[in-house]
């Protein structure tokens, strides 16, 4: 099992706070994610399972309580829609309403992701960096060893909008990415009940 860098969302990361940093990385990251939560946004991620299967996920969030999720793993795709305390799934080409206990899990996920973000790890400021063909502001956690590799989480923020652009877990020098989330802010996100 991978460590907390890989399995916990940014808002739930916990680590001891070290010495004072030369910049306000933690505050700047919190401000970026707080601003993100004011409007709809999309998160797209790609990773590999422990068995090497390519996985991708797309989340659309529409505050205050709507989510669309599409997960593709190998040749299988599952879609989920959550609106308030109701949820639906589509794994076979047909939408079905989820039972209450599963819908409650989707609602809890939305509540966690729409809650005011709290960053509890120290991020050092990397300043202006080139990433994915763009000039972005970079922020990185302290490195730690995961499965024999020294890795860190790096958050990239658009310097113009001050919104998160990427969330990457990988080697400190950027030579290998284990998990990558890309954020975008489409104006046409509209999540409706499928049934």
């Amino acid at each position: 099992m991978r460590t907390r860098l890989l399995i916990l969302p940014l808002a739930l990361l916990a680590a001891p706070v070290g010495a004072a940093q030369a910049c306000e990385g933690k505050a700047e990251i919190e401000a970026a994610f707080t601003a993100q939560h004011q409007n709809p946004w999309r998160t797209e991620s790609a990773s590999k399972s422990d068995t090497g299967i390519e996985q991708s996920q797309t989340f659309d969030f529409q505050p205050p309580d709507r989510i669309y999720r599409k997960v593709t793993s190998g040749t299988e795709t599952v879609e989920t829609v959550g609106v308030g305390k109701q949820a639906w799934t589509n794994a076979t080409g047909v939408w079905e309403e989820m039972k209450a206990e599963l819908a409650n899990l989707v609602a809890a996920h939305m509540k966690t992701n729409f809650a005011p973000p709290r960053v509890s790890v120290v991020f050092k400021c990397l300043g202006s960096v080139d990433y994915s063909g763009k000039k972005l502001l970079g922020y990185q956690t302290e490195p730690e060893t995961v499965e024999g590799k020294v890795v860190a989480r790096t958050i990239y923020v658009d310097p113009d909008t001050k919104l998160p652009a990427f969330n990457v877990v990988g080697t400190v020098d950027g030579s290998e990415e284990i998990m990558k989330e890309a954020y975008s802010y489409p104006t046409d996100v509209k999540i409706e009940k499928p049934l």
Side-chain angles (χ1 to χ4, degrees):
M1 178 176 274
R2 295 182 173 156
T3 68
R4 70 184 183 285
L5 271 176
L6 301 179
I7 60 175
L8 292 180
L10 176 68
L12 300 179
L13 286 175
V17 177
Q21 299 295 304
C23 66
E24 295 294 326
K26 179 181 167 186
E28 291 174 28
I29 292 295
E30 276 190 7
F33 281 96
T34 297
Q36 179 190 62
H37 285 60
Q38 305 309 308
N39 297 291
W41 79 94
R42 177 171 292 147
T43 302
E44 296 176 280
S45 64
S47 62
K48 283 188 179 179
S49 71
D50 292 337
T51 58
I53 296 173
E54 296 285 338
Q55 300 174 329
S56 66
Q57 293 190 64
T58 300
F59 284 95
D60 284 349
F61 296 96
Q62 184 183 352
D65 63 354
R66 293 173 183 252
I67 184 174
Y68 167 78
R69 178 183 184 205
K70 180 179 181 180
V71 178
T72 301
S73 180
T75 60
E76 297 180 16
T77 298
V78 177
E79 296 175 284
T80 305
V81 168
V83 176
K85 294 188 177 187
Q86 292 181 284
W88 299 263
T89 187
N90 175 4
T92 62
V94 177
W95 285 99
E96 298 176 4
E97 188 166 3
M98 290 182 168
K99 293 184 179 182
E101 57 271 11
L102 294 175
N104 287 338
L105 291 174
V106 174
H109 177 76
M110 282 191 288
K111 185 176 179 182
T112 299
N113 281 281
F114 290 130
R118 291 184 333 249
V119 178
S120 58
V121 295
V122 174
F123 279 88
K124 67 178 178 178
C125 295
L126 303 177
S128 180
V129 295
D130 290 317
Y131 183 77
S132 194
K134 302 173 185 173
K135 281 274 189 199
L136 300 168
L137 300 174
Y139 303 87
Q140 192 172 76
T141 60
E142 289 295 318
E144 64 179 89
T145 302
V146 177
E147 297 178 359
K149 295 179 185 177
V150 178
V151 299
R153 179 181 301 273
T154 306
I155 305 291
Y156 297 94
V157 173
D158 185 298
D160 298 323
T161 65
K162 301 296 189 228
L163 292 170
F166 297 96
N167 172 12
V168 179
V169 174
T171 54
V172 177
D173 65 3
S175 61
E176 181 181 351
E177 294 178 347
I178 298 168
M179 185 280 301
K180 175 181 176 179
E181 292 180 333
Y183 302 108
S184 60
Y185 304 91
T187 57
D188 61 346
V189 170
K190 189 170 182 181
I191 300 167
E192 301 291 348
K193 297 177 180 182
L195 296 175

